[in-house]
Amino acid sequence: MDGERKPFLRNKSSPPISVHQFVTLMAPLIDLEKEAEITASIASSASRNLDIAQKRGSVIANLKCTDAQTGLMGKTLLEFQPNKGDILPSHKFGTHDVVVLKQNKADAGSASLGQGVVYRLKETSITVAFDDIPEDGLNSPLRLEKVANEVTYRRMKDALNQLSMAVQKGPAADLIPVLFGEKPPAFLKEVMRFTPFNKNLDNSQKDAISKALSSKNVFLLHGPPGTGKTTTVVEIILQEVKRGSKILACAASNIAVDNIVERLFPYRIKLVRLGHPARLLPQVLESALDAQVLRGDNSSLAADIRKDMKVLNGKLLKVKDKNTKRDIRKELRVLAKEERKRQQLAVTDVIKNADVVLTTLTGALSRNLESTTFDLVIIDEAAQALEVACWIALLKGSRCMLAGDHLQLPPTIQSVEAEKKGLGKTLFERLAGFYGEEITSMLTVQYRMHELIMSWSSKELYNDKINAHPSVAGHMLYDLEDVKRTSSTEPTLLLIDTTGCDMEEVKDEEGSTMNEGEATVSIAHAKQLVESGVPASDIGIITPYAAQVQCLRIMRSKEDRLKDVEISTVDGFQGREKEAIIISMVRSNSKKEVGFLSDHRRMNVAVTRARRQCCLVCDAETVSNDSFLKRLVEYFEEHGEYQSASEYVQD
């Protein structure tokens, strides 16, 4: 037994899993998830029927191309809007999904006009980035089809294979046993003192940064809603750069990576953004690898070589003599080899000189990073990333820091079976359950919500440890400029109860749940807020069901003043905020079934999007059948205003 590694048992409810067990468990689950994505895409024979594919949300048909612009390192951005009506039909497209563009009437198996990546999504339009602009066909009706992105799955499989081998050697050889519970995490004995770059940090942020800097292998930054998690991550990066660390900073989504680039940019540290810069902001583009390579010396030499090659190619066309042609071709091969070498050297120079390399998790497997190792790997939004995807980045460093909140939305998983078997359990959640406070710091001051909105979430999910910063603790809707103090803008919490108002849920043809009565009430309250002077763009309506989103958007389209009110699912609002949030809970039935409303994390995200007012529209009798939701309803009744939905539909 002496020579054997024994796990350091911390939390018995979260037993450790060995590397071998993890790899064996995850490999087939990645295949299941890949199959689920392929099945959901039009490419599968099951979805060849375009009507079915539209209903499933994997096709958006009858579109027109309304705008074309160049950006993103020469990529072309095409914007599409519906040919009929103002809003896109219900769909399952997300930013960074791979899509193909086709003529609207083309057969399911026909060739596409081009393949691109979803760059921006609005309720009324979808913008796609293409490498090459389609030559023709853009003036006729079009459709977009979602296709499975197999590269992501291949990279996750590669990471699992590398993980099996990295236990013996590699930059993460000492980190892996800690993350699998075989070796205890270590911290420096003395508290790390530092002079902050950001002078506005609160004490919980400073404590977290000290603990992060003294960590020898793993640290978790737990950031509940509105507590300045990204602000803290940026300060940790700046402090680590000051100490001479080379950092790989990642997140699951391009937008989260770009957000860190923007926040770091003013500090003028050497940073490089790998991959597909998702936004057109100059600071992100200026930091992109392609842009920096073009500015490098080796790249200039490569350009000179290309000029020489152009001259030789011109000669080749004119020369008749076979021997001369052979000599020119030989010279061209030599030059081509040198040009490739210079381009690769230019890339290597940029990455070698950078203090911080930023990329998505799957982008960390880029060929450009093959021989680069890092002192610290930081993963933001780690509680929304699959653990397998995290390992793509983690294998490149000897220390890691994960930032996130496992009490907000988990990663999106298509395969129900893969989720049940453990694909959805994140590394952040696993380590928080196993090591707990030993490696974790929770931020405790939030800068978004009125304290009444915050207190429910704090008591229910964060052991009552969150405090509202004085700048937001008492702010009201009617404090906003040009907003009148009315019965609509006075409450911070408002419960509109549909019990007894004959507003039952129904299923749409796709099996999603909707509730027209609740939608009417939600729109009526939004209208009252706008009439009181609240800008429509400061109001959000959140609902967990896609069918209800569509129902609400159709109703909103009939009210011109409400066109800027944002309506989306809970997932669509993650990481966002609005001054006023209206939540339509939808469920109202005689069996008192609440479905996935009972997911604590989903409701936590919905409520905490609100800054100054949170309005809950629900059948209190139905939803109170669930004990968690019952406490939410009771909290709103006790601390807010109560109204019956009948008051909104008397007309």
Side-chain angles (χ1 to χ4, degrees), residues 123 522 525-526 529 534-543 552 556 564-568 573 576-584 606 609-610 613-615:
E123 293 172 14
S522 303
H525 180 59
L529 291 178
V534 180
S537 56
D538 282 344
I539 302 167
I541 305 179
I542 299 181
T543 181
L552 282 158
R556 181 199 54 195
D564 291 330
V565 170
E566 193 172 344
I567 298 169
S568 188
F573 266 102
R576 315 264 316 288
E577 58 185 57
K578 292 279 183 183
E579 299 295 350
I581 286 287
I582 301 162
I583 302 168
S584 168
R609 299 309 93 198
Q613 183 184 88
C614 187
C615 168

Side-chain angles (χ1 to χ4, degrees), residues 477-498:
L477 263 185
Y478 56 75
D479 293 336
L480 291 169
E481 200 177 340
D482 298 328
V483 176
K484 296 190 279 288
R485 185 170 181 161
T486 65
S487 58
S488 305
T489 60
E490 270 189 332
T492 297
L493 301 174
L494 175 61
L495 175 69
I496 305 176
D497 187 3
T498 67

Side-chain angles (χ1 to χ4, degrees), residues 336-349:
K337 194 176 174 185
E338 182 62 21
E339 191 260 353
R340 280 196 301 275
K341 186 177 145 193
R342 286 290 167 192
Q343 280 287 37
Q344 193 48 53
L345 282 170
V347 169
T348 307
D349 283 348

Side-chain angles (χ1 to χ4, degrees), residues 224-488:
T227 54
K229 171 176 65 67
T230 307
T231 301
T232 313
V233 169
V234 165
E235 184 69 38
I236 290 168
I237 292 173
L238 293 170
Q239 294 296 335
E240 285 286 353
V241 168
K242 191 175 164 186
R243 289 163 76 176
S245 300
K246 190 173 183 74
I247 299 162
L248 176 63
C250 301
S253 73
N254 271 296
I255 285 175
V257 178
D258 288 344
N259 193 21
I260 299 173
V261 175
E262 279 166 50
R263 303 279 283 273
L264 284 172
F265 192 78
Y267 294 97
R268 311 307 300 175
I269 58 172
K270 290 184 206 156
L271 50 96
V272 58
R273 165 70 161 103
L274 260 60
H276 186 304
R279 288 190 276 184
L280 282 169
L281 292 163
Q283 52 264 48
V284 180
L285 286 179
E286 196 180 311
S287 306
L289 176 65
D290 300 28
Q292 293 191 52
V293 164
L294 289 173
R295 296 197 291 267
D297 294 340
N298 273 304
S299 192
S300 305
L301 288 167
D304 291 341
I305 295 167
R306 278 195 297 278
K307 279 181 200 160
D308 294 343
M309 288 169 76
K310 195 175 177 184
V311 172
L312 284 172
N313 275 312
K315 276 187 190 171
L316 196 62
L317 294 171
K318 292 172 189 165
V319 171
K320 299 278 190 289
D321 179 58
K322 278 185 181 175
N323 289 334
T324 314
K325 276 192 169 188
R326 192 179 61 238
D327 291 343
I328 290 174
R329 285 198 186 104
K330 196 174 172 185
E331 198 177 339
L332 275 169
R333 280 197 297 275
V334 172
L335 285 173
K337 194 176 174 185
E338 182 62 21
E339 191 260 353
R340 280 196 301 275
K341 186 177 145 193
R342 286 290 167 192
Q343 280 287 37
Q344 193 48 53
L345 282 170
V347 169
T348 307
D349 283 348
V350 171
I351 290 170
K352 193 169 141 193
N353 292 324
D355 296 319
V356 189
V357 175
L358 299 106
T359 178
T360 56
L361 290 167
T362 48
L365 207 59
S366 158
R367 202 179 71 243
N368 295 323
L369 290 181
E370 259 171 25
S371 55
T372 311
T373 60
F374 296 88
D375 302 304
L376 175 65
V377 176
I378 293 180
I379 301 175
D380 195 11
E381 285 190 346
Q384 278 179 274
L386 296 178
E387 173 163 358
V388 183
C390 289
W391 279 107
I392 298 173
L394 291 171
L395 290 172
K396 297 189 175 298
S398 51
R399 287 172 64 214
C400 72
M401 187 194 98
L402 310 183
D405 180 11
H406 52 302
L407 302 173
Q408 292 187 61
L409 289 180
T412 305
I413 291 171
Q414 305 258 11
S415 164
V416 178
E417 190 185 344
E419 185 160 29
K420 275 186 187 155
K421 290 182 174 173
L423 187 65
K425 177 88 177 255
T426 65
L427 178 62
F428 191 99
E429 191 181 354
R430 184 165 75 71
L431 293 173
F434 187 57
Y435 288 122
E437 289 182 14
E438 187 179 351
I439 61 166
T440 309
S441 279
M442 185 169 86
L443 303 177
T444 56
V445 182
Q446 68 82 22
Y447 300 85
R448 177 187 299 161
M449 295 159 265
H450 187 290
E451 58 190 356
L452 281 177
I453 300 169
M454 174 208 76
S455 289
W456 166 76
S457 170
S458 178
K459 288 191 178 88
E460 194 67 49
L461 295 149
Y462 301 103
N463 298 324
D464 209 7
K465 286 182 177 173
I466 315 291
N467 296 300
H469 190 265
S471 61
V472 299
H475 65 184
M476 311 293 287
L477 263 185
Y478 56 75
D479 293 336
L480 291 169
E481 200 177 340
D482 298 328
V483 176
K484 296 190 279 288
R485 185 170 181 161
T486 65
S487 58
S488 305

